[in-house]
């Protein structure tokens, strides 16, 4: 690789790390004769960022030049950072080279906005057209849609990409106006609606004609930056829940604000990104998508923010002792699913297994129930422990958080040794 390309790569891959709205999932396209790549498990090279995010895509910006000046962004025009840009062909060639070396399983393509949204979208489109049409690349492509770009360009991009994302970034319109005055919610929601419409039309057409072109088959996602504004978890989760009601929406990503622009008075003075809050939001998101919780059950007017000391499911259970204890041998699946320490897989196994006889504690453990947590919320004839109602939610909370602290202290006492 020549030095010029290497330098561009180091600048633009580094600038892309702040966007978390990507993950390769949701499509299954096998290898085709004469093509390169698949969206299935071959050629995947996983890597992890220091804060634990899995990155298996070639995540890159086309350019870090930007005409906008969003307060939270390292690439904003007022920052004095080294700028560069790939040509579409350079980027396409690099992607193919990495794919063939088995470094990556696909491409996540984003960009700063150069000249105007249409021009930027056109350049990004040229990259994916080169990949698909000229290099016959059949692997996964996640592409950012640039708010303000024309419907025609988004429509073309949707036929080449597996997934598209339009980042909302800031969870409320008023705070977006404050931090990114050149952007607006209406400009962000317009491409989201257009992508959804394209997906629905494509699904209808494919029912009639199997060969009809696919449009963003892996759906769309978005990113919300957490902690750059005083927006509450209630605002964030209510927004996410509304997005999940849209048929095209697959994922909302939560990204703890990384204080890259210290000294901007519109931003809070954070020492570090709020990673615990970010983690709690992912857990709450999981509850909405897989545990049939409504956003209003997890956070409400009285509790607008998630409890950072306990996970959101435990938090809900402690606020609602009236629903407990749950009898694992008779309760409906939906209630078993709400017991802290019981996951989706364990809840399903409980419902199937109890058909053959009453479940004992060893059986529950074998099924995967985490008894340290579940013991306060279930009943079973053999269970000697008292439940949350006898012990009080405050006592259970103390027990659970103390165990977490002890575990953390034990880890510090016995540091992990790496290597041999
Ligand atoms: S438009 Fe995107 S790249 Fe440009 S400053 Fe805003 S967030 Fe950064």
């Amino acid at each position: 690789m020549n030095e010029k390309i290497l330098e561009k790569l180091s600048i633009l891959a580094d600038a892309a790390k702040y966007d978390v709205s990507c993950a390769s999932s949701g499509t299954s396209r096998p290898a085709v004769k004469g093509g390169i790549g698949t969206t299935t498990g071959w050629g995947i090279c996983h890597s992890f960022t220091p804060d634990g995010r899995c990155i298996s895509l070639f995540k890159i910006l086309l350019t870090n030049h930007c005409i906008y000046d969003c307060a939270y962004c390292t690439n904003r025009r007022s920052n004095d950072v080294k700028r560069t840009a790939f040509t579409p062909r350079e980027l396409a060639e690099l992607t193919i080279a990495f794919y063939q070396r088995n470094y990556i399983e696909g491409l996540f393509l984003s960009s700063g906005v150069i000249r105007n949204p249409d021009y930027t979208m056109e350049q990004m489109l040229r990259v994916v057209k080169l990949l698909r049409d000229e290099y016959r690349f059949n692997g996964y492509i996640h592409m950012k849609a640039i708010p303000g770009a024309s419907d025609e360009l988004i429509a073309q991009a949707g036929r080449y990409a597996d997934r598209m994302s339009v980042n909302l970034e800031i969870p409320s319109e008023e705070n977006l106006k404050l931090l990114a005055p050149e952007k607006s919610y209406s400009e962000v929601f317009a491409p989201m609606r257009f992508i959804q419409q394209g997906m629905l039309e494509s699904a209808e057409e494919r029912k009639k004609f199997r060969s009809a072109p696919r449009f963003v088959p892996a759906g769309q996602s978005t990113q919300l930056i957490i902690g750059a504004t005083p927006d509450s978890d209630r605002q964030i989760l209510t927004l996410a829940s509304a997005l999940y009601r849209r048929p095209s929406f697959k994922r909302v990503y939560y990204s703890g604000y990384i204080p890259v622009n210290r000294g901007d008075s519109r931003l809070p003075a954070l020492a570090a990104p709020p990673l615990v809050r970010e983690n709690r939001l992912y857990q709450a998101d999981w509850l909405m998508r897989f545990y049939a919780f409504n956003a209003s059950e997890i956070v409400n007017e009285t509790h607008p923010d998630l409890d950072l000391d306990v996970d959101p499911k435990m938090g809900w259970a402690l606020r609602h002792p009236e629903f407990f204890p749950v009898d694992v041998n008779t309760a409906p699946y939906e209630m078993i699913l709400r017991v802290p320490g019981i996951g989706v897989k364990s809840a399903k196994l409980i419902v199937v297994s109890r058909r053959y006889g009453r479940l004992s504690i060893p059986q529950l453990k074998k099924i995967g129930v985490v008894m340290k947590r579940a013991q306060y919320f279930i009943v079973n004839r053999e269970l000697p422990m008292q439940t949350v109602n006898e012990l009080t939610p405050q006592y259970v909370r103390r027990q659970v958080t103390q165990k977490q602290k002890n575990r953390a202290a034990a880890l510090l006492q016995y540091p992990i040794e790496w290597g041999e």
Side-chain angles (χ1 to χ4, degrees):
M1 192 184 299
N2 74 45
E3 295 233 334
K4 201 177 92 198
I5 298 288
L6 199 60
E7 190 188 7
K8 287 184 183 186
L9 184 61
S10 81
I11 294 170
L12 295 171
D14 190 58
K17 73 184 177 202
Y18 302 103
D19 194 323
V20 299
S21 63
C22 69
S24 66
S25 60
T27 43
S28 158
R29 190 171 48 246
V32 290
K33 202 168 171 215
I36 295 176
T38 75
T39 58
T40 49
W42 299 98
I44 296 170
C45 177
H46 284 107
S47 166
F48 292 89
T49 56
D51 55 2
R53 291 187 198 120
C54 174
I55 44 168
S56 58
L57 305 177
F58 178 29
K59 188 175 188 177
I60 193 82
L61 298 187
L62 182 68
T63 178
N64 63 342
H65 286 283
C66 193
I67 56 170
Y68 295 145
D69 205 37
C70 307
Y72 44 83
C73 179
T74 185
N75 301 320
R76 63 182 184 177
R77 69 166 182 267
S78 58
N79 275 7
D80 183 16
V81 293
K82 209 165 183 183
R83 310 275 176 176
T84 188
F86 279 115
T87 66
R89 186 162 296 276
E90 281 171 347
L91 197 42
E93 281 177 359
L94 211 49
T95 306
I96 288 297
F98 284 169
Y99 195 94
Q100 287 172 330
R101 287 186 194 128
N102 214 15
Y103 293 170
I104 54 161
E105 64 170 312
L107 171 69
F108 172 67
L109 178 59
S110 184
S111 182
V113 182
I114 16 169
R115 290 196 204 169
N116 56 55
D118 269 354
Y119 179 79
T120 311
M121 201 71 218
E122 265 170 27
Q123 296 300 302
M124 293 169 80
L125 197 53
R126 282 182 59 196
V127 177
V128 292
K129 277 184 171 174
L130 277 172
L131 280 170
R132 294 284 197 226
D133 295 341
E134 194 175 318
Y135 294 97
R136 311 277 294 139
F137 180 68
N138 199 37
Y140 185 87
I141 295 180
H142 180 153
M143 211 178 158
K144 281 275 286 291
I146 304 293
S150 72
D151 290 351
E152 174 49 31
L153 289 169
I154 306 270
Q156 284 191 50
R159 287 196 281 276
Y160 286 88
D162 290 283
R163 175 168 288 186
M164 291 187 80
S165 54
V166 197
N167 284 356
L168 274 169
E169 307 283 25
I170 299 299
S172 66
E173 191 164 14
E174 53 179 306
N175 284 324
L176 181 75
K177 270 195 196 124
L178 182 72
L179 297 189
E182 293 137 317
K183 287 182 174 175
S184 72
Y185 258 33
S186 61
E187 261 191 355
V188 179
F189 276 110
M192 275 187 189
R193 273 193 296 271
F194 189 79
I195 292 167
Q196 174 169 308
Q197 190 58 28
M199 284 176 64
L200 295 175
E201 281 168 15
S202 160
E204 277 306 306
E205 278 168 26
R206 284 177 65 82
K207 277 187 206 158
K208 292 184 216 145
F209 313 103
R210 287 299 303 149
S211 57
R214 303 205 303 173
F215 188 89
V216 195
Q220 52 177 329
S221 58
T222 194
Q223 166 177 267
L224 293 172
I225 297 175
I226 307 307
T229 55
D231 299 305
S232 67
D233 293 337
R234 182 172 174 236
Q235 280 170 287
I236 293 163
L237 291 172
T238 306
L239 176 60
S241 155
L243 291 171
Y244 282 134
R245 282 198 289 276
R246 297 174 174 218
S248 61
F249 236 87
K250 291 288 179 276
R251 286 300 304 275
V252 176
Y253 291 88
Y254 308 92
S255 173
Y257 168 61
I258 301 168
V260 282
N261 296 327
R262 293 178 200 274
D264 189 319
S265 60
R266 292 168 295 173
L267 293 164
L270 299 183
L275 294 182
V276 179
R277 185 176 176 203
E278 178 190 290
N279 183 38
R280 293 289 180 233
L281 281 164
Y282 276 114
Q283 290 172 326
D285 186 278
W286 196 259
L287 290 186
M288 294 195 294
R289 289 188 297 131
F290 299 105
Y291 289 75
F293 275 83
N294 293 320
S296 58
E297 292 179 287
I298 304 168
V299 274
N300 54 32
E301 272 177 34
T302 329
H303 296 95
D305 289 309
L306 294 166
D307 187 335
L308 297 185
D309 288 336
V310 292
D311 68 72
K313 195 177 180 192
M314 178 63 85
W316 176 83
L318 293 175
R319 288 199 306 277
H320 293 284
E322 70 276 15
F323 288 114
F324 298 100
V326 164
D327 188 335
V328 282
N329 281 302
T330 56
Y333 169 75
E334 296 72 33
M335 268 324 290
I336 292 176
L337 208 49
R338 292 199 165 214
V339 175
I342 298 185
V344 173
K345 202 170 149 202
S346 309
K348 284 183 181 155
L349 276 172
I350 287 172
V351 174
V352 172
S353 313
R354 72 188 183 187
R355 288 191 204 138
Y356 307 101
R358 293 186 73 80
L359 296 173
S360 63
I361 302 297
Q363 281 171 318
L364 288 175
K365 283 186 182 164
K366 218 168 171 184
I367 278 172
V369 174
V370 184
M371 287 304 294
K372 274 186 289 189
R373 306 162 73 71
Q375 61 178 322
Y376 307 110
F377 302 96
I378 58 175
V379 276
N380 174 306
R381 265 190 311 213
E382 313 158 44
L383 208 60
M385 296 84 148
Q386 292 168 300
T387 68
V388 64
N389 289 307
E390 287 111 39
L391 295 170
T392 75
Q394 295 75 6
Y395 176 86
V396 173
R397 191 176 194 285
R398 271 200 307 278
Q399 289 294 104
V400 172
T401 50
Q402 192 52 50
K403 275 177 193 156
Q404 283 167 359
K405 280 181 198 147
N406 293 346
R407 227 181 11 249
L411 280 174
L412 286 176
Q413 207 176 349
Y414 301 105
I416 299 163
E417 285 180 14
W418 301 100
E420 289 183 339

